Amino acid sequence: MAMSMDFKTYVDQACRAAEKFVNIYYETMDKRRQALTRLYLDKATLIWNGNFVTGLEALTNFFDMLPSSEFQVNMLDCQPVHEQVKQTQTTVLVVTSGTVKFDGNRQHYFKQNFLLTAQSTPNNIVWKIASDCFHFQD
Amino acid sequence: SNFDLTVYLCEYNKQVTSLQRRARCRHIYQRRYNNWSEEVRSGIHPSSQQQQDGDQATSDVHKDTGVRYAPYAIPFCHRRGNFQKKDETHVNKATEQKPPERKMERNRQDETLGSWFKIRIPFGIKYDEKWLLNLIQKQCSVPFTPVEFHYEKMQAQFFIENANIAFALKNVNGVIYNEANERISIFVEPCDAPHSVLKELKSEKVEQIKLPVKERYDVSQQSLDIQRVRSDPGWDTGVWVYLSWLCFSGPCGSSSSSQVKSAGEMDKGERLEPEGMCADRNPLCTTFPDKSTNISSILELFPKLLTLKLKDPHLRVQLLKHTKRVILHTLCVLPKTQHDFSSFVVDTWFQTETMLCFSVSGVFKEVEGSSQGCVRAFTRTFIAIPASSSSLCIVNDELFVSDSNPKKTESVFLIPKPTCCASSISTLSMEWQAMVQAFSTWSGMNVQDSQK
């Protein structure tokens, strides 16, 4: 029934990193919007309430257009993606939900999921968003 | 001696509590006259206050400052991005005469430069103008007249000049849907009057002041007696703005380079980083040695995280199930459910040749147990790989259940045969689409059958 120790450690590490990343994501979204696209891969995709945005330029335009935000995340869940799928890179599925208020608009419940991939650099592991799916929930 | 006509673009960064709306930045025009601060204050939009020495304004748009309303003052402008720029212009002056108190008569009493709103529909470029406006009007509690409807990048935009109407439009956000049953968002924000309106008013104003200006313009001297112009009973302090425009385009006055811009013409490239931000820090490189440092460091850096419940790794171990056998066992012990297929919203949000990621949101009812009859909202996120040419195999499965929105519980648990209401399928191949459809059907079966 229990996970093997190796798997458990693997899950733990991947998920801790993902959680840190997500915290940074929402802070950046709220307070440093202009830096947000740095957290995305060049070919990352975003689906925002059913609308498809892909590529850094389109993402930059989109986040620029979006009014300033105030996110409150109430739930965060993550699990590493099966190794059969992403063999070369550690990938984590992250799901969040909570509330958001865009400036000039009423508060909404939202749900969001990310696919994060870990990219190794000489000094570090850098996590980036490969895919982002955001929905209002009300 | 000369006076300075100074136009300020001020950066304004309002610190608010979490209960208030957070304004990232606002920009207001100010006019400062060295010796005429009183009059100038009266000429400024009522939402702003000015300090004598021209320091950065700290106005609160929601406060009633009790300042006299000047209809033609350059209005309050809400912008994203920060910048600070100071323009100075010089006009040949006369004396310190106060401008007249009386307001100029106007034809359109309610239409002012100060109450314009920009309405933005993200991805509105997909929609025909008439269709979209009709759709919005159907849901909007008050009739509205869109001004300057246009498409900009991927958005549809138009302007509204009444705060009540703007507010009503704000409430239409998220309650209108397109033909594919996708929600359409509407964002509303205060703004300057649109260009077409400004131009129109300008030419009205130009006509109105042409005569007194002409009368006081000395052709031989090529100079305009400002004092005499301003003493004309027809003047309103707000008209000063337009006078300054005229002076720089015409031969009157000894103007230096005229760099007066309306708020709508500001160069987006003029941005500074907001105060207090460390632009050069790459947050992804921060590492934490152990758990305790981890949490307190994060909380230091990001105080808002107090509201984010960081998961206990032990809890995660309990809730994360691994291997098919364990997963199926877990699903079997969940209370029996009946899902409402008509409530399903499916997003196919990522795919490659070897993997498909999609989410299903909707509601279900518990049909047994202590919460029998309870309606819950769920979102299930799947990552699947092809198992054969016509079937999927789930490799990752995430289920999130919450209490349902009371409105949603009114939905009728109808159709036994599920329909796949795709919110977005980007470049999904036919094979994947078929599999998603099949999976949707399969997921309607109860858990016992899936073990076969």
Side-chain angles (χ1 to χ4, degrees):
Chain A
M1 284 285 185
M3 288 185 250
S4 70
M5 275 313 291
D6 285 340
F7 185 73
K8 179 174 174 298
T9 311
Y10 168 68
V11 168
D12 229 20
Q13 282 175 349
C15 289
R16 278 170 187 267
E19 283 168 13
K20 277 182 219 165
F21 178 91
V22 165
N23 292 332
I24 289 164
Y25 176 87
Y26 288 105
E27 278 293 321
T28 308
M29 165 73 87
D30 283 353
K31 294 194 173 139
R32 294 181 61 204
R33 181 73 65 78
Q34 69 280 7
L36 192 63
T37 49
R38 284 188 228 161
L39 303 180
Y40 287 81
L41 288 176
D42 285 351
K43 293 194 176 159
T45 58
L46 161 66
I47 298 182
W48 197 87
N49 283 315
N51 294 285
F52 189 66
V53 184
T54 186
L56 277 184
E57 195 187 326
L59 283 170
T60 306
N61 289 338
F62 175 77
F63 288 124
D64 201 43
M65 174 277 296
L66 212 55
S68 56
S69 58
E70 211 171 311
F71 272 89
Q72 168 132 354
V73 180
N74 297 325
M75 187 283 289
L76 182 154
D77 195 6
C78 44
Q79 55 179 268
V81 171
H82 200 283
E83 67 233 3
Q84 193 170 339
V85 177
K86 285 274 191 175
Q87 275 159 359
T88 50
Q89 296 167 330
T90 303
T91 304
V92 179
L93 169 67
V94 179
V95 180
T96 62
S97 81
T99 60
V100 60
K101 187 166 189 316
F102 288 104
D103 200 16
N105 295 269
R106 71 171 179 88
Q107 193 177 68
H108 289 276
Y109 288 103
F110 79 90
K111 180 141 173 310
Q112 188 162 15
N113 57 44
F114 302 95
L115 271 186
L116 301 184
T117 64
Q119 300 190 306
S120 298
T121 69
N123 301 322
N124 250 310
I125 295 178
V126 176
W127 290 88
K128 294 231 177 181
I129 300 171
S131 174
D132 175 359
C133 181
F134 176 93
H135 258 298
F136 290 145
Q137 286 265 272
D138 45 14
Chain B
S1 57
N2 287 340
F3 66 84
D4 289 341
L5 171 62
T6 308
V7 177
Y8 273 91
L9 277 60
C10 288
E11 177 194 309
Y12 165 56
N13 205 332
K14 183 178 173 190
Q15 301 297 320
V16 298
T17 67
S18 59
L19 294 175
Q20 290 171 303
R21 271 169 42 179
R22 186 173 304 186
R24 284 172 88 226
C25 58
R26 300 179 195 272
H27 305 277
I28 44 181
Y29 263 90
Q30 287 180 344
R31 288 163 293 143
R32 181 180 71 155
Y33 306 94
N34 285 339
N35 300 309
W36 299 344
S37 51
E38 278 177 34
E39 299 82 84
V40 169
R41 196 179 291 122
S42 67
I44 286 174
H45 191 279
S47 65
S48 68
Q49 283 172 341
Q50 184 190 17
Q51 295 178 23
Q52 289 268 340
D53 55 2
D55 274 354
Q56 190 165 333
T58 53
S59 68
D60 180 347
V61 66
H62 301 295
K63 278 200 202 125
D64 179 12
T65 61
V67 170
R68 182 173 76 90
Y69 176 63
Y72 299 109
I74 293 188
F76 172 85
C77 170
H78 178 203
R79 294 238 159 223
R80 293 163 54 77
N82 297 324
F83 52 89
Q84 199 159 351
K85 191 176 171 185
K86 194 166 83 174
D87 286 323
E88 285 195 7
T89 56
H90 297 266
V91 180
N92 258 345
K93 90 82 168 152
T95 65
E96 305 173 4
Q97 182 127 5
K98 287 189 186 190
E101 287 291 296
R102 193 182 61 189
K103 260 194 225 185
M104 192 166 305
E105 262 194 55
R106 290 152 48 229
N107 300 329
R108 300 183 295 174
Q109 278 295 315
D110 292 331
E111 290 166 358
T112 67
L113 288 179
S115 56
W116 282 92
F117 295 84
K118 186 183 242 188
I119 317 296
R120 295 187 289 113
I121 295 109
F123 308 103
I125 200 163
K126 297 194 291 196
Y127 312 119
D128 169 71
E129 176 182 342
K130 242 189 190 168
W131 177 88
L132 180 62
L133 293 172
N134 269 341
L135 183 71
I136 296 172
Q137 184 66 86
K138 273 193 216 149
Q139 289 295 334
C140 185
S141 54
V142 295
F144 68 93
T145 309
V147 173
E148 251 188 60
F149 182 98
H150 62 283
Y151 298 102
E152 191 172 299
K153 292 184 185 159
M154 305 227 330
Q155 303 171 55
Q157 296 182 4
F158 58 89
F159 297 91
I160 289 291
E161 60 176 340
N162 179 293
N164 292 329
I165 297 177
F167 186 77
L169 283 170
K170 201 158 76 160
N171 289 331
V172 178
N173 179 30
V175 300
I176 51 174
Y177 294 83
N178 65 13
E179 282 148 349
N181 209 33
E182 295 163 0
R183 191 199 303 263
I184 297 177
S185 301
I186 297 181
F187 292 126
V188 175
E189 60 195 37
C191 66
D192 287 343
H195 285 191
S196 57
V197 171
L198 271 178
K199 271 195 218 152
E200 203 182 293
L201 282 172
K202 231 195 271 184
S203 62
E204 258 179 44
K205 294 316 301 180
V206 166
E207 292 309 311
Q208 280 166 348
I209 66 177
K210 249 187 196 170
L211 191 57
V213 169
K214 258 196 203 161
E215 286 172 359
R216 288 157 179 78
Y217 182 62
D218 185 339
V219 179
S220 60
Q221 298 287 322
Q222 285 203 6
S223 74
L224 177 67
D225 189 335
I226 297 294
Q227 179 200 2
R228 291 191 58 216
V229 167
R230 296 189 80 222
S231 65
D232 188 279
W235 286 101
D236 182 277
T237 52
V239 181
W240 265 114
V241 178
Y242 292 98
L243 179 63
S244 71
W245 285 85
L246 292 174
C247 282
F248 295 115
S249 54
C252 57
S254 62
S255 56
S256 54
S257 65
S258 56
Q259 292 296 319
V260 179
K261 291 182 190 171
S262 75
E265 290 167 26
M266 284 183 202
D267 184 3
K268 244 187 171 185
E270 294 158 354
R271 282 189 199 214
L272 300 176
E273 279 289 307
E275 271 182 48
M277 297 299 171
C278 305
D280 55 350
R281 186 202 297 184
N282 180 351
L284 298 175
C285 291
T286 312
T287 53
F288 303 94
D290 60 36
K291 183 180 175 181
S292 56
T293 326
N294 181 345
I295 300 215
S296 56
S297 302
I298 291 179
L299 291 177
E300 246 173 66
L301 292 173
F302 306 115
K304 246 181 58 186
L305 290 185
L306 289 168
T307 61
L308 175 65
K309 298 174 184 90
L310 296 175
K311 283 279 188 72
D312 180 347
H314 294 297
L315 186 62
R316 185 191 302 128
V317 165
Q318 286 167 16
L319 293 177
L320 181 64
K321 305 301 174 187
H322 187 222
T323 76
K324 180 173 179 174
R325 187 175 58 88
V326 173
I327 290 171
L328 288 176
H329 179 266
T330 307
L331 292 176
C332 283
V333 301
L334 293 176
K336 267 214 174 86
T337 57
Q338 184 192 5
H339 285 69
D340 177 10
F341 295 110
S342 66
S343 72
F344 281 8
V345 172
V346 178
D347 264 315
T348 321
W349 41 273
F350 192 75
Q351 74 276 347
T352 65
E353 284 96 25
T354 52
M355 129 188 166
L356 180 67
C357 305
F358 60 101
S359 301
V360 184
S361 296
V363 296
F364 66 82
K365 201 192 295 185
E366 290 190 34
V367 297
E368 66 170 17
S370 53
S371 302
Q372 189 175 352
C374 257
V375 177
R376 314 267 185 214
F378 78 94
T379 304
R380 194 95 177 250
T381 302
F382 296 104
I383 299 179
I385 57 176
S388 69
S389 59
S390 59
S391 66
L392 293 175
C393 185
I394 302 168
V395 293
N396 284 88
D397 179 355
E398 195 271 350
L399 172 65
F400 174 60
V401 179
S402 63
D403 284 332
S404 164
N405 185 329
K407 286 184 197 162
K408 280 193 178 159
T409 61
E410 287 160 23
S411 73
V412 183
F413 278 64
L414 282 174
I415 312 159
K417 187 178 174 184
T419 53
C420 180
C421 310
S423 301
S424 64
I425 298 183
S426 47
T427 51
L428 205 55
S429 68
M430 291 306 292
E431 293 77 23
W432 277 121
Q433 285 191 40
M435 280 197 245
V436 170
Q437 188 77 40
F439 187 81
S440 194
T441 311
W442 175 88
S443 66
M445 297 158 71
N446 68 39
V447 176
Q448 258 70 45
D449 290 333
S450 73
Q451 284 179 305
K452 291 175 192 167

mmCIF file of all heavy atoms in Angstrom, chain B residues 318-338:
data_model
loop_
_atom_site.group_PDB
_atom_site.id
_atom_site.type_symbol
_atom_site.label_atom_id
_atom_site.label_comp_id
_atom_site.label_asym_id
_atom_site.label_seq_id
_atom_site.Cartn_x
_atom_site.Cartn_y
_atom_site.Cartn_z
ATOM 1 N N GLN B 318 -0.420 10.582 2.392
ATOM 2 C CA GLN B 318 -1.688 9.893 2.614
ATOM 3 C C GLN B 318 -2.650 10.081 1.460
ATOM 4 O O GLN B 318 -3.401 9.181 1.125
ATOM 5 C CB GLN B 318 -2.352 10.412 3.894
ATOM 6 C CG GLN B 318 -1.671 9.906 5.150
ATOM 7 C CD GLN B 318 -2.142 10.687 6.368
ATOM 8 O OE1 GLN B 318 -3.150 11.372 6.309
ATOM 9 N NE2 GLN B 318 -1.404 10.589 7.446
ATOM 10 N N LEU B 319 -2.616 11.245 0.893
ATOM 11 C CA LEU B 319 -3.617 11.555 -0.130
ATOM 12 C C LEU B 319 -3.179 11.182 -1.536
ATOM 13 O O LEU B 319 -4.004 11.047 -2.420
ATOM 14 C CB LEU B 319 -3.963 13.046 -0.106
ATOM 15 C CG LEU B 319 -4.691 13.525 1.133
ATOM 16 C CD1 LEU B 319 -4.911 15.031 1.059
ATOM 17 C CD2 LEU B 319 -6.025 12.816 1.285
ATOM 18 N N LEU B 320 -1.891 11.017 -1.731
ATOM 19 C CA LEU B 320 -1.411 10.691 -3.071
ATOM 20 C C LEU B 320 -1.329 9.175 -3.195
ATOM 21 O O LEU B 320 -0.623 8.516 -2.440
ATOM 22 C CB LEU B 320 -0.039 11.328 -3.302
ATOM 23 C CG LEU B 320 0.595 11.097 -4.674
ATOM 24 C CD1 LEU B 320 -0.267 11.744 -5.756
ATOM 25 C CD2 LEU B 320 1.996 11.684 -4.712
ATOM 26 N N LYS B 321 -2.076 8.659 -4.128
ATOM 27 C CA LYS B 321 -2.122 7.210 -4.304
ATOM 28 C C LYS B 321 -1.288 6.802 -5.511
ATOM 29 O O LYS B 321 -1.338 7.469 -6.549
ATOM 30 C CB LYS B 321 -3.587 6.766 -4.502
ATOM 31 C CG LYS B 321 -4.526 7.213 -3.397
ATOM 32 C CD LYS B 321 -4.117 6.698 -2.037
ATOM 33 C CE LYS B 321 -4.999 7.284 -0.943
ATOM 34 N NZ LYS B 321 -4.515 6.921 0.393
ATOM 35 N N HIS B 322 -0.611 5.727 -5.329
ATOM 36 C CA HIS B 322 0.301 5.280 -6.382
ATOM 37 C C HIS B 322 -0.002 3.837 -6.747
ATOM 38 O O HIS B 322 -0.213 3.024 -5.887
ATOM 39 C CB HIS B 322 1.742 5.402 -5.865
ATOM 40 C CG HIS B 322 2.783 5.136 -6.901
ATOM 41 N ND1 HIS B 322 3.908 4.409 -6.639
ATOM 42 C CD2 HIS B 322 2.859 5.497 -8.194
ATOM 43 C CE1 HIS B 322 4.655 4.337 -7.734
ATOM 44 N NE2 HIS B 322 4.042 4.985 -8.692
ATOM 45 N N THR B 323 0.009 3.579 -7.986
ATOM 46 C CA THR B 323 -0.295 2.288 -8.635
ATOM 47 C C THR B 323 -1.787 2.096 -8.810
ATOM 48 O O THR B 323 -2.606 2.516 -8.007
ATOM 49 C CB THR B 323 0.277 1.041 -7.913
ATOM 50 O OG1 THR B 323 -0.506 0.761 -6.759
ATOM 51 C CG2 THR B 323 1.741 1.200 -7.588
ATOM 52 N N LYS B 324 -2.086 1.433 -9.858
ATOM 53 C CA LYS B 324 -3.470 1.220 -10.276
ATOM 54 C C LYS B 324 -4.289 0.559 -9.180
ATOM 55 O O LYS B 324 -5.413 0.947 -8.883
ATOM 56 C CB LYS B 324 -3.476 0.366 -11.548
ATOM 57 C CG LYS B 324 -4.843 0.055 -12.094
ATOM 58 C CD LYS B 324 -4.697 -0.635 -13.432
ATOM 59 C CE LYS B 324 -6.069 -0.988 -13.980
ATOM 60 N NZ LYS B 324 -5.947 -1.524 -15.359
ATOM 61 N N ARG B 325 -3.702 -0.419 -8.563
ATOM 62 C CA ARG B 325 -4.419 -1.190 -7.553
ATOM 63 C C ARG B 325 -4.856 -0.288 -6.402
ATOM 64 O O ARG B 325 -6.003 -0.304 -5.958
ATOM 65 C CB ARG B 325 -3.507 -2.311 -7.059
ATOM 66 C CG ARG B 325 -4.152 -3.320 -6.120
ATOM 67 C CD ARG B 325 -3.175 -4.441 -5.808
ATOM 68 N NE ARG B 325 -1.938 -3.940 -5.208
ATOM 69 C CZ ARG B 325 -1.757 -3.760 -3.917
ATOM 70 N NH1 ARG B 325 -2.740 -4.019 -3.062
ATOM 71 N NH2 ARG B 325 -0.608 -3.309 -3.449
ATOM 72 N N VAL B 326 -3.936 0.504 -5.946
ATOM 73 C CA VAL B 326 -4.227 1.397 -4.813
ATOM 74 C C VAL B 326 -5.252 2.454 -5.211
ATOM 75 O O VAL B 326 -6.175 2.774 -4.460
ATOM 76 C CB VAL B 326 -2.916 2.065 -4.327
ATOM 77 C CG1 VAL B 326 -3.198 3.115 -3.277
ATOM 78 C CG2 VAL B 326 -1.949 1.010 -3.814
ATOM 79 N N ILE B 327 -5.074 2.971 -6.407
ATOM 80 C CA ILE B 327 -5.983 4.023 -6.877
ATOM 81 C C ILE B 327 -7.405 3.499 -6.976
ATOM 82 O O ILE B 327 -8.362 4.125 -6.495
ATOM 83 C CB ILE B 327 -5.518 4.571 -8.243
ATOM 84 C CG1 ILE B 327 -4.219 5.383 -8.085
ATOM 85 C CG2 ILE B 327 -6.603 5.461 -8.872
ATOM 86 C CD1 ILE B 327 -3.562 5.777 -9.382
ATOM 87 N N LEU B 328 -7.548 2.344 -7.559
ATOM 88 C CA LEU B 328 -8.900 1.814 -7.737
ATOM 89 C C LEU B 328 -9.543 1.522 -6.394
ATOM 90 O O LEU B 328 -10.738 1.770 -6.195
ATOM 91 C CB LEU B 328 -8.865 0.562 -8.612
ATOM 92 C CG LEU B 328 -8.580 0.862 -10.095
ATOM 93 C CD1 LEU B 328 -8.459 -0.420 -10.886
ATOM 94 C CD2 LEU B 328 -9.663 1.752 -10.685
ATOM 95 N N HIS B 329 -8.745 1.019 -5.494
ATOM 96 C CA HIS B 329 -9.271 0.764 -4.161
ATOM 97 C C HIS B 329 -9.772 2.055 -3.521
ATOM 98 O O HIS B 329 -10.856 2.104 -2.920
ATOM 99 C CB HIS B 329 -8.186 0.140 -3.288
ATOM 100 C CG HIS B 329 -8.655 -0.128 -1.900
ATOM 101 N ND1 HIS B 329 -8.456 0.767 -0.866
ATOM 102 C CD2 HIS B 329 -9.341 -1.165 -1.383
ATOM 103 C CE1 HIS B 329 -8.988 0.266 0.241
ATOM 104 N NE2 HIS B 329 -9.543 -0.902 -0.043
ATOM 105 N N THR B 330 -8.992 3.113 -3.677
ATOM 106 C CA THR B 330 -9.377 4.415 -3.114
ATOM 107 C C THR B 330 -10.670 4.920 -3.734
ATOM 108 O O THR B 330 -11.565 5.399 -3.040
ATOM 109 C CB THR B 330 -8.257 5.451 -3.364
ATOM 110 O OG1 THR B 330 -7.031 4.926 -2.885
ATOM 111 C CG2 THR B 330 -8.562 6.771 -2.688
ATOM 112 N N LEU B 331 -10.765 4.781 -5.051
ATOM 113 C CA LEU B 331 -11.976 5.266 -5.712
ATOM 114 C C LEU B 331 -13.189 4.470 -5.262
ATOM 115 O O LEU B 331 -14.284 5.022 -5.108
ATOM 116 C CB LEU B 331 -11.812 5.178 -7.242
ATOM 117 C CG LEU B 331 -10.778 6.143 -7.857
ATOM 118 C CD1 LEU B 331 -10.643 5.886 -9.351
ATOM 119 C CD2 LEU B 331 -11.161 7.592 -7.604
ATOM 120 N N CYS B 332 -12.979 3.207 -5.017
ATOM 121 C CA CYS B 332 -14.106 2.353 -4.619
ATOM 122 C C CYS B 332 -14.665 2.725 -3.268
ATOM 123 O O CYS B 332 -15.846 2.525 -3.006
ATOM 124 C CB CYS B 332 -13.675 0.886 -4.601
ATOM 125 S SG CYS B 332 -13.573 0.197 -6.244
ATOM 126 N N VAL B 333 -13.823 3.232 -2.411
ATOM 127 C CA VAL B 333 -14.330 3.547 -1.067
ATOM 128 C C VAL B 333 -14.977 4.930 -1.002
ATOM 129 O O VAL B 333 -15.542 5.302 0.018
ATOM 130 C CB VAL B 333 -13.237 3.407 0.020
ATOM 131 C CG1 VAL B 333 -12.685 1.987 0.030
ATOM 132 C CG2 VAL B 333 -12.135 4.424 -0.148
ATOM 133 N N LEU B 334 -14.864 5.705 -2.076
ATOM 134 C CA LEU B 334 -15.591 6.981 -2.104
ATOM 135 C C LEU B 334 -17.078 6.695 -2.189
ATOM 136 O O LEU B 334 -17.490 5.695 -2.765
ATOM 137 C CB LEU B 334 -15.160 7.825 -3.313
ATOM 138 C CG LEU B 334 -13.726 8.360 -3.336
ATOM 139 C CD1 LEU B 334 -13.451 9.076 -4.653
ATOM 140 C CD2 LEU B 334 -13.489 9.316 -2.171
ATOM 141 N N PRO B 335 -17.905 7.569 -1.652
ATOM 142 C CA PRO B 335 -19.358 7.362 -1.720
ATOM 143 C C PRO B 335 -19.832 7.294 -3.173
ATOM 144 O O PRO B 335 -19.247 7.931 -4.050
ATOM 145 C CB PRO B 335 -19.939 8.608 -1.034
ATOM 146 C CG PRO B 335 -18.826 9.287 -0.350
ATOM 147 C CD PRO B 335 -17.550 8.826 -0.958
ATOM 148 N N LYS B 336 -20.867 6.542 -3.378
ATOM 149 C CA LYS B 336 -21.438 6.429 -4.724
ATOM 150 C C LYS B 336 -21.926 7.798 -5.184
ATOM 151 O O LYS B 336 -22.482 8.566 -4.402
ATOM 152 C CB LYS B 336 -22.627 5.457 -4.696
ATOM 153 C CG LYS B 336 -22.278 4.030 -5.020
ATOM 154 C CD LYS B 336 -23.440 3.360 -5.788
ATOM 155 C CE LYS B 336 -23.039 1.967 -6.245
ATOM 156 N NZ LYS B 336 -23.251 0.928 -5.241
ATOM 157 N N THR B 337 -21.727 8.013 -6.477
ATOM 158 C CA THR B 337 -22.041 9.342 -7.002
ATOM 159 C C THR B 337 -22.884 9.259 -8.268
ATOM 160 O O THR B 337 -22.905 8.233 -8.943
ATOM 161 C CB THR B 337 -20.750 10.096 -7.390
ATOM 162 O OG1 THR B 337 -20.035 9.286 -8.335
ATOM 163 C CG2 THR B 337 -19.882 10.368 -6.184
ATOM 164 N N GLN B 338 -23.552 10.343 -8.535
ATOM 165 C CA GLN B 338 -24.209 10.509 -9.826
ATOM 166 C C GLN B 338 -23.750 11.854 -10.388
ATOM 167 O O GLN B 338 -23.995 12.898 -9.769
ATOM 168 C CB GLN B 338 -25.726 10.490 -9.674
ATOM 169 C CG GLN B 338 -26.441 10.566 -11.020
ATOM 170 C CD GLN B 338 -27.928 10.836 -10.875
ATOM 171 O OE1 GLN B 338 -28.427 11.063 -9.770
ATOM 172 N NE2 GLN B 338 -28.633 10.824 -11.977
#
